[in-house]
Amino acid sequence: MDVGQPLSQGIVQSNLGIPINCDKLDEVSCFAGFSVREVVNKLNEIPPCESFKSVAGFGNTFWFTNEYHGGYISEGTASLEDTFKKMKAFSPVSERRISIVTGESGLLSCLPELSKLSNLVIILDQNPILLLFLISIFNELPKIERCGEEEYEDLIKDAFLAVKKKVEDIIFSEEDILYLAKEYRDAFKEWHCFSSKERFEETKKVLKKIHIHPVCTNYYDEAAMKTLAEIISDEGLSIAFFNVTNVLEYYYQFFEWKRYPCPIKGVDNTLYLKELPLTEDTLCAYSSLMYRDDKQTATCTGDIFFEEAYQLHKLNIYYDVCGETLSEQKTDKELIVEACLRLAQTDPREDGNILTKLRNLLAHSSQEALFQLSQNYREVSKKIDKNKAYKSSLENEQKKFTFLSVLQRALDEAGLTVNRPDSSYEGKRKKR
């Protein structure tokens, strides 16, 4: 089997300029049916979404995953440990496989299992601080000779020091990071690489035959996702494991990165992810951590991932707006009018995401729900009229009109008509 040329000795740079030690790839495992060098070189051409200077003091850094029992996940619900178990039992059909994970994704606790699926692991995240921290850990871990408390702390401290050299005025302290590192290790128990001498040696052995490469970009960046998909496809690769964590819950970024065109139908925050060549047997993991009480990490195969993600987003957007989860007793038909009334009464000066929420709500509602809304259109319009935040200026009047326009557009696309009251901004504008 032609396994391609190994990476040369020394250091390569990621697309953000993070140095990565490639000495371990002097001998590429026969598991790799492709040239790691070629893939890495192409990955480094993806423009980074941030720089270290622009994220100085980055407050939203998740140094370790928190998707474990005792973290964000309650006992009895699915967590990353369950994903590790499925990973352990998973047998990929093709050797030409890579894995894509988001942030830390439990890498310090699952590398032996992940190495059986692919020998190139892409860490994708928009936060360069986190990527530098993680790559610093994986560069230094093979050099550690002993599995002890002191060695583990030194590893974390050295990685954090590498971050502090790049980023001034970082808001986290060394004590903060060490506390999180201990919580993380204790939570994953026998899975963690520092849990025992056997697990430690197993993880070090694995690090000699896999390459972990950071890519600083955003899942909501259309151009980046297309480029990543093209790289994977052009090399004839497929994805063995894909962990998007709870990124899909940050649906506002879908609108921040690129303003979605006017139609309501098709608003889907997985749109750019659909560029990735997932296969029927890709093992996918995704999480629900922000909106509902039943926080968990779920797994599924690639053939149903996007439908699962769509349904999760539908549940989340209704909970975000209504504070209630869709169920057999509470369907979108029962909640759609209440949800729109809540948004109509919200002060746009206090919540600048009203239209984003409205569009997501309408895009993820059934035909039955939209019909129910069409029957109650006047009620929603009257609530908008009574919202004092829309009466202080022409600009706010236009925002009011936009709210109703989005509503009307969704109903029009669904083939539904409404009687639009004369009190709408449209009616007032014609009289001026």
Side-chain angles (χ1 to χ4, degrees):
M1 179 185 293
D2 179 14
V3 298
Q5 295 298 315
L7 291 174
S8 60
Q9 291 186 359
I11 303 294
V12 297
Q13 306 287 327
S14 73
N15 72 327
L16 197 63
I18 296 175
I20 302 160
N21 190 339
C22 293
D23 290 342
K24 62 191 174 189
L25 287 180
D26 288 343
E27 296 180 5
V28 178
S29 166
C30 65
F31 185 80
F34 59 93
S35 169
V36 176
R37 172 198 288 274
E38 291 181 11
V39 178
V40 166
N41 286 343
K42 290 181 178 180
L43 291 174
N44 293 341
E45 295 176 2
I46 298 177
C49 65
E50 294 284 4
S51 69
F52 287 102
K53 289 183 179 179
S54 65
V55 295
F58 208 102
N60 200 26
T61 299
F62 299 98
W63 305 92
F64 306 95
T65 182
N66 49 27
E67 299 176 49
Y68 52 80
H69 293 144
Y72 271 31
I73 307 296
S74 301
E75 289 288 346
T77 57
S79 64
L80 261 184
E81 294 100 316
D82 300 285
T83 302
F84 297 164
K85 293 174 185 176
K86 293 182 180 180
M87 205 186 297
K88 193 173 183 177
F90 184 74
S91 179
V93 176
S94 168
E95 289 184 336
R96 301 176 65 82
R97 294 275 193 146
I98 66 171
S99 293
I100 301 175
V101 302
T102 308
E104 199 271 337
S105 278
L107 288 178
L108 279 169
S109 300
C110 72
L111 285 179
E113 290 69 36
L114 192 55
S115 69
K116 295 175 182 177
L117 308 186
S118 62
N119 82 322
L120 173 60
V121 179
I122 298 172
I123 307 179
L124 195 151
D125 204 280
Q126 68 173 349
N127 184 349
I129 294 176
L130 175 61
L131 293 176
L132 175 57
F133 178 73
L134 294 175
I135 293 305
S136 298
I137 287 177
F138 293 119
N139 278 345
E140 295 302 316
L141 185 55
K143 303 174 187 178
I144 299 176
E145 297 181 354
R146 193 172 158 272
C147 173
E149 179 90 23
E150 184 177 344
E151 285 76 13
Y152 179 50
E153 288 190 2
D154 287 343
L155 175 67
I156 301 302
K157 286 191 286 188
D158 288 345
F160 184 58
L161 181 60
V163 170
K164 292 177 70 174
K165 288 180 179 178
K166 276 276 189 180
V167 184
E168 296 180 0
D169 302 323
I170 190 163
I171 65 174
F172 289 89
S173 68
E174 184 179 278
E175 290 73 20
D176 294 332
I177 307 303
L178 288 175
Y179 172 79
L180 294 173
K182 184 179 183 301
E183 290 284 304
Y184 170 85
R185 182 199 61 195
D186 294 346
F188 279 101
K189 301 175 183 177
E190 71 273 8
W191 293 98
H192 193 272
C193 64
F194 274 80
S195 62
S196 67
K197 181 179 179 181
E198 292 74 22
R199 187 66 172 177
F200 178 69
E201 293 299 334
E202 187 181 16
T203 302
K204 284 180 61 178
K205 184 178 179 180
V206 160
L207 280 170
K208 293 180 180 179
K209 67 176 185 178
I210 67 173
H211 181 61
I212 301 174
H213 199 80
V215 175
C216 188
T217 191
N218 189 298
Y219 286 120
Y220 295 120
D221 186 330
E222 181 180 13
M225 288 301 100
K226 284 184 177 180
T227 301
L228 180 59
E230 288 172 0
I231 292 170
I232 297 171
S233 299
D234 289 349
E235 293 297 321
L237 306 174
S238 57
I239 301 171
F241 178 63
F242 178 49
N243 185 3
V244 73
T245 64
N246 71 318
V247 168
L248 298 180
E249 295 189 300
Y250 292 89
Y251 60 88
Y252 298 122
Q253 291 192 20
F254 178 70
F255 291 87
E256 291 171 1
W257 274 84
K258 182 177 180 179
R259 294 291 173 183
Y260 202 85
C262 190
I264 306 301
K265 286 185 178 179
V267 171
D268 180 0
N269 68 335
T270 66
L271 182 66
Y272 306 143
L273 279 182
K274 288 178 179 175
E275 300 286 342
L276 297 177
L278 302 183
T279 62
E280 289 186 359
D281 65 337
T282 300
L283 183 62
C284 301
Y286 61 93
S287 304
S288 174
L289 302 177
M290 292 173 59
Y291 292 105
R292 305 194 313 280
D293 294 333
D294 55 336
K295 305 179 191 303
Q296 62 179 315
T297 290
T299 54
C300 65
T301 49
D303 56 337
I304 62 172
F305 169 73
F306 291 109
E307 177 58 27
E308 293 276 322
Y310 181 87
Q311 294 302 326
L312 173 67
H313 188 54
K314 181 173 180 175
L315 290 173
N316 283 347
I317 186 63
Y318 267 91
Y319 191 87
D320 189 19
V321 174
C322 297
E324 294 187 64
T325 302
L326 296 178
S327 63
E328 292 183 2
Q329 294 75 31
K330 289 282 188 177
T331 65
D332 59 346
K333 179 181 177 181
E334 277 74 39
L335 289 179
I336 183 69
V337 176
E338 176 190 343
C340 286
L341 288 173
R342 282 176 181 251
L343 290 175
Q345 296 173 84
T346 303
D347 189 334
R349 295 167 297 189
E350 297 179 0
D351 185 348
N353 293 307
I354 291 177
L355 291 183
T356 296
K357 291 180 179 181
L358 179 63
R359 294 183 69 169
N360 273 274
L361 187 74
L362 298 172
H364 290 78
S365 297
S366 65
Q367 184 74 10
E368 292 78 10
L370 293 175
F371 176 76
Q372 187 72 21
L373 181 60
S374 70
Q375 301 298 298
N376 292 269
Y377 178 85
R378 284 179 177 271
E379 185 181 357
V380 176
S381 181
K382 288 178 181 178
K383 289 294 182 184
I384 282 284
D385 275 337
K386 292 180 180 179
N387 191 333
K388 295 180 180 179
Y390 288 118
K391 296 186 176 181
S392 58
S393 67
L394 178 61
E395 179 184 0
N396 281 334
E397 279 291 310
Q398 289 171 333
K399 287 180 181 178
K400 166 192 166 184
F401 175 55
T402 302
F403 186 104
L404 294 177
S405 295
V406 170
L407 203 58
Q408 293 161 3
R409 182 64 182 261
L411 296 175
D412 288 344
E413 289 180 7
L416 301 168
T417 58
V418 295
N419 294 320
R420 301 174 185 177
D422 293 336
S423 59
S424 71
Y425 175 72
E426 186 177 24
K428 290 181 180 180
R429 187 174 60 172
K430 289 179 180 178
K431 296 176 181 178
R432 283 178 180 149

